[in-house]
Amino acid sequence: MDTLSVIKALSNETRFKIMEWLKEPDVHFGPQNHMPTDCDFHGGICVGAISEKAGLAQSVISGYLVKMQKSGLLESRRHCQWTYYRRNEMSIQQFKEKLFEEI
């Protein structure tokens, strides 16, 4: 994980808010009705729900989510026509430890 790429991903207010929202997805988004019941991607939120909450176009949010995923903050799973994102807690913990060591 590249510390600087994570910091850059978090430097945008909306991307930072998305990370906060995804920390408690049930509180901020409610149930994801499109997700199959047998899905093992718990806590995943679809792009449309994130876009609606942020008040930005899905294309903008999709770009944000891809940047955050490439930096290691998020993981995704595609089901039918929806893509779901959730926090990558292991990677976030590694970032925190690395940042603490470096600064």
Side-chain angles (χ1 to χ4, degrees), residues 70-88:
K70 285 182 179 178
S71 73
L73 292 169
L74 299 177
E75 52 190 0
S76 69
R77 174 100 28 101
R78 184 140 176 100
H79 289 287
C80 301
Q81 62 192 21
W82 294 280
T83 302
Y84 294 87
Y85 287 87
R86 69 179 179 193
R87 290 166 50 109
N88 183 338

Side-chain angles (χ1 to χ4, degrees), residues 9-45:
L10 293 172
S11 69
N12 174 282
E13 183 179 357
T14 301
R15 290 192 297 257
F16 191 85
K17 286 260 184 228
I18 290 169
M19 290 301 294
E20 289 179 328
W21 297 335
L22 292 176
K23 192 170 186 176
E24 297 179 292
D26 293 337
V27 171
H28 295 285
F29 298 100
Q32 295 296 288
N33 297 326
H34 303 294
M35 189 177 284
T37 54
D38 63 341
C39 178
D40 63 349
F41 200 67
H42 301 289
I45 303 297

